[in-house]
Every structure is written in C-alpha cells, then in structure tokens.
Amino acid sequence: MSHGPLDAGQLRRRLAAGEVTVGTFVGMSSAIAAEVCAAAGADWILIDLEHGSGGEEAVRDGVIAAGSYGVPTIVRVESGDRIRIGRVLDQGAAGIMVPRLNTVDQAAESVRHMLYPPLGDRGVATYNRSCRWGMDRRTLTEPDQEALGVIQIETLEALDSVEDIAAQDRVDVVFVGPLDLSYALGVPLQLDSSVFQEALQRVVAAAQRHNKAAGILAVDGLRAAKYIGQGFRFVAIGSDSTIMAAAFRDAFDTARN
C-alpha cells in the first residue's frame, strides 16, 4: 500500500544502515520553497519552527509538497514539550529535531513524547495524516515506531552529555548546532578553530560508538562535503532563504561588476 507523503520510517532505516543523507532547512513558511528543495534532490527537508517564519501550517503544507517528490519532512520543534512534538508528528512529519537540550534525561523525555504507549506518552488519535485519516492504524501498534529522533548538541552541558545522549534508545541523530555551540565554546563563529573542531570530533565519536548518526548544519556544499569526510551522516546545507539570498547576491554582484 502506498503511504503517499508519509515516510513510513524509510529515512530512519537508511541512517541505521549507515547511509549518508543530505538535506536543507526550510524556514520561509512556504510550501513552494519546500517543494523546490525536494525537487532539487534533497534526501530530506527540515521545517524549522524554532527560528523559521511560520507555524504548524508550514508543516501541514510542507509535508505534502516535499512528499510529492518522495522526500520526507523533519520538523525542528520550538521545544521538547509533548504537545509540540505530537502535533507535528500527527501532521505527517517523519521525525523531530529538538533544540536546546542539556541532559540525557531531557533527551529521554523528548523521545518518550514521540512514541505511542506503552513505549512513550504520545497522544493517541487516528483522525490525522500520520494514520491516513483513520484508514491505517498500524503505526499505533507497531513495536518499531517510525519517527526519527534528532537531538541537538549546542550547549556545553549537551556536549558534556553527548556520550549518554547518543546511547539513548530512539535518539537516532545527535546534531550539532554550529553557531550556538561555537558561542558556548567561547569561539563565536570560528568554525575552523581547534576548540570547535575538537568538539565536532567528540560528537562524531560518540555517535559512531553507539551506531547513531552525527548531524550538522553546513553553510554550503563544500563545507558539507568536509563534514561528511569527518564522519557526519545527516548534513543540512543552509536553508531556503540563505541559499536564495546568496545566489541573488552573487548574481547581482556579477551583473554590476
């Protein structure tokens, strides 16, 4: 049976099998932007509700737009609260990214909100996209539930706890927020500094020891390739707005000069 825009756990299985995947952040609250990114060849898109310009309506429309190209949607929620996580999963998100967590207990709590009882405490309802509007209830009872769990490492506390966070069941990706982490390390925006690079190595090593994927946001394709060479397997390249702005800026400069 076709799952339409639903990922049915495929992205989670690809990462578990050791694949490298590349996507981008979508923050413009535009289903067209989500569709363009998917059509351009993204393995996944990430709709950003923490820093992006839209709300849950961006998830509602973006899942359909990207899913029409067979591309799953991850959502960075505003917080790890149960209601925030459950609502976007109900709208068909393939997984959740949770920002600003510091401890393994906080990570475990967020993961619990992704899973239906008895594994977790996600609210049970069928009249939503994740259950194909009540026509497919298998996801409610399958022992290996499908949602991808992405926990951000962007504070000193999270970095100190990265080994324990990566060891958590259902934490599938430990994802570096490079700007936040650089500020936390006292080297703001200095992504080539030795202290920042050493932190990246800690994250990759922790992920590899526990058979998880390390993730990071790269400013462009060249930086993404460098990160992949360092062992990252869940890599975002910029965002819809930053890539569009850079392309226009370069085109205008070229035309004028």
Side-chain angles (χ1 to χ4, degrees):
M1 185 189 326
S2 170
H3 283 262
L6 301 179
D7 175 64
Q10 293 182 69
L11 178 59
R12 185 166 179 262
R13 289 190 290 273
R14 289 177 66 187
L15 290 166
E19 287 191 41
V20 173
T21 67
V22 181
T24 189
F25 279 45
V26 175
M28 294 171 62
S29 190
S30 166
I32 298 297
E35 180 180 351
V36 169
C37 293
D43 291 310
W44 43 267
I45 66 165
L46 187 144
I47 294 177
D48 187 5
L49 300 187
E50 184 192 18
H51 293 298
S53 59
E56 289 177 6
E57 73 284 349
V59 181
R60 177 194 65 203
D61 300 334
V63 166
I64 293 291
S68 66
Y69 290 83
V71 175
T73 296
I74 310 300
V75 178
R76 177 158 69 176
V77 289
E78 304 96 316
S79 69
D81 293 343
R82 189 184 72 87
I83 189 64
R84 299 273 67 82
I85 290 172
R87 283 184 61 83
V88 297
L89 289 176
D90 283 355
Q91 294 195 58
I96 298 295
M97 176 184 284
V98 186
R100 306 303 294 183
L101 297 184
N102 293 319
T103 68
V104 65
D105 289 341
Q106 290 172 333
E109 182 177 13
S110 294
V111 166
R112 192 160 56 247
H113 299 334
M114 292 169 40
L115 304 173
Y116 291 114
L119 301 177
D121 60 6
R122 178 179 170 185
V124 182
T126 61
Y127 57 98
N128 55 57
R129 186 180 288 148
S130 70
C131 288
R132 296 183 70 242
W133 315 109
M135 294 181 284
D136 185 355
R137 302 185 178 194
R138 289 175 297 175
T139 188
L140 301 177
T141 56
E142 288 181 345
D144 187 20
Q145 296 181 34
E146 299 168 347
L148 182 78
V150 184
I151 301 299
Q152 286 206 252
I153 306 299
E154 50 188 350
T155 67
L156 293 181
E157 293 88 349
L159 183 62
D160 287 341
S161 301
V162 67
E163 191 76 36
D164 292 334
I165 291 173
Q168 279 288 304
D169 188 33
R170 300 301 308 219
V171 172
D172 302 300
V173 181
V174 283
F175 189 95
V176 173
L179 298 188
D180 280 301
L181 186 58
S182 74
Y183 273 78
L185 290 167
V187 288
L189 310 180
Q190 299 172 46
L191 304 189
D192 291 319
S193 68
S194 59
V195 66
F196 184 80
Q197 290 298 315
E198 288 167 7
L200 296 191
Q201 291 171 16
R202 286 181 63 184
V203 174
V204 170
Q208 291 176 342
R209 271 192 292 273
H210 297 285
N211 298 313
K212 307 297 177 67
I216 195 167
L217 173 62
V219 68
D220 56 27
L222 288 175
R223 178 70 68 163
K226 177 180 178 181
Y227 287 145
I228 291 169
Q230 290 177 282
F232 288 92
R233 295 196 290 109
F234 185 86
V235 180
I237 302 176
S239 69
D240 50 356
S241 58
T242 58
I243 289 176
M244 183 174 72
F248 273 123
R249 180 195 59 212
D250 291 346
F252 294 147
D253 288 346
T254 298
R256 290 174 178 137
N257 297 314

